[in-house]
Amino acid sequence: EVQLLESGGGLVQPGGSLRLSCAASGFSFGGYAMGWVRQAPGKGLEWVSSISASGGGTYSADSVKGRFTISRDNSKNTLFLQMNSLRAEDTAVYYCAKDRWNYEFFFDYWGRGTLVTVSS
Amino acid sequence: SYVVTQPPSVSVAPGETARITCEGSDIGSNTVHWYQQKPGQAPVLAIYYDRDRPSGIPERFSGSNSGSTATLTISRVEAGDEAEYYCQVSGNSDHWLFGGGTKLTVL
């Protein structure tokens, strides 16, 4: 059974940093692209960033480019999102999601999400 | 940049057919995927590659994509289908572009 478990969310001040993790199990993690999608309170889904199976290629939304960095450790079956220079508008539930293969560009499994709140 | 538009809400009586649209310029030349999200839960993939159903999704769910409109069709709607539905467009420069979501209400 595919399981994705996010952690690392919490309350952070504007301008601060946070690192999210996503522990994956139930599939061969190193064989699949992965991504992060966020959802602001009461709002819709917004894609944040994606990374190839090997980690050699990444994509990021313009809204986070230069501030957020996606990475992965295939030896530990873990996906990361390093978030710097956080803003109030980054407040959201952040979901870790699995691509169906290596950049089929949609997500077939999602974690339950971790809440990030940016506020002073 | 590319823009996709969904109606904010759709209402349907139990047993009827719900059609949720996703509109964009020549969207039929792109690929559309659909997700179902119930309150307090993570999204679930409902349709991929315009019309394919993942295992576990009822046959009542189907999809189409042509011209400027992609459509998620839910036949014989049940109370348990009440949820927010999001389209996601891939195939252009914005590989993971989500629509704004449509709230399906079962009357």
Side-chain angles (χ1 to χ4, degrees), chain A residues 53-68:
Chain A
S54 68
T58 63
Y59 292 89
S60 290
D62 288 344
S63 58
V64 306
K65 207 166 287 184
R67 300 187 299 123
F68 291 10

Side-chain angles (χ1 to χ4, degrees), chain B residues 36-90:
Chain B
Q36 176 195 66
Q37 186 180 33
K38 296 182 178 179
Q41 298 184 20
V44 172
L45 180 66
I47 293 288
Y48 63 97
Y49 289 143
D50 298 336
R51 60 181 64 247
D52 292 340
R53 268 179 302 104
S55 59
I57 298 299
E59 292 183 8
R60 301 183 296 103
F61 287 72
S62 62
S64 64
N65 184 18
S66 179
S68 61
T69 304
T71 303
L72 171 68
T73 300
I74 307 172
S75 304
R76 303 181 299 284
V77 166
E78 303 173 356
D81 298 331
E82 189 162 284
E84 194 85 18
Y85 291 85
Y86 295 92
C87 65
Q88 178 223 322
V89 179
S90 62

Side-chain angles (χ1 to χ4, degrees), chain A residues 10-18 83-88 117-120:
Chain A
L11 175 63
V12 61
Q13 292 188 341
S17 298
L18 215 52
M83 304 186 295
N84 299 330
S85 302
L86 282 161
R87 307 167 180 167
T117 303
V118 184
S119 174
S120 54

Side-chain angles (χ1 to χ4, degrees), chain A residues 14-110:
Chain A
S17 298
L18 215 52
R19 189 193 199 201
L20 306 184
S21 299
C22 171
S25 61
F27 65 103
S28 297
F29 181 73
Y32 297 86
M34 298 290 295
W36 291 96
V37 177
R38 68 184 180 183
Q39 186 169 36
K43 302 297 185 182
L45 301 175
E46 179 190 14
W47 169 74
V48 174
S49 192
S50 288
I51 187 167
S52 65
S54 68
T58 63
Y59 292 89
S60 290
D62 288 344
S63 58
V64 306
K65 207 166 287 184
R67 300 187 299 123
F68 291 10
T69 302
I70 189 172
S71 62
R72 63 192 297 162
D73 184 341
N74 287 346
S75 69
K76 296 183 179 179
N77 293 347
T78 305
L79 177 71
F80 302 101
L81 185 67
Q82 178 67 43
M83 304 186 295
N84 299 330
S85 302
L86 282 161
R87 307 167 180 167
E89 54 265 36
D90 296 319
T91 294
V93 173
Y94 284 74
Y95 294 102
C96 165
K98 170 188 167 294
D99 191 286
R100 197 176 78 141
W101 191 43
N102 195 23
Y103 284 151
E104 289 205 49
F105 302 112
F106 67 93
F107 302 113
D108 60 352
Y109 289 94
W110 297 61

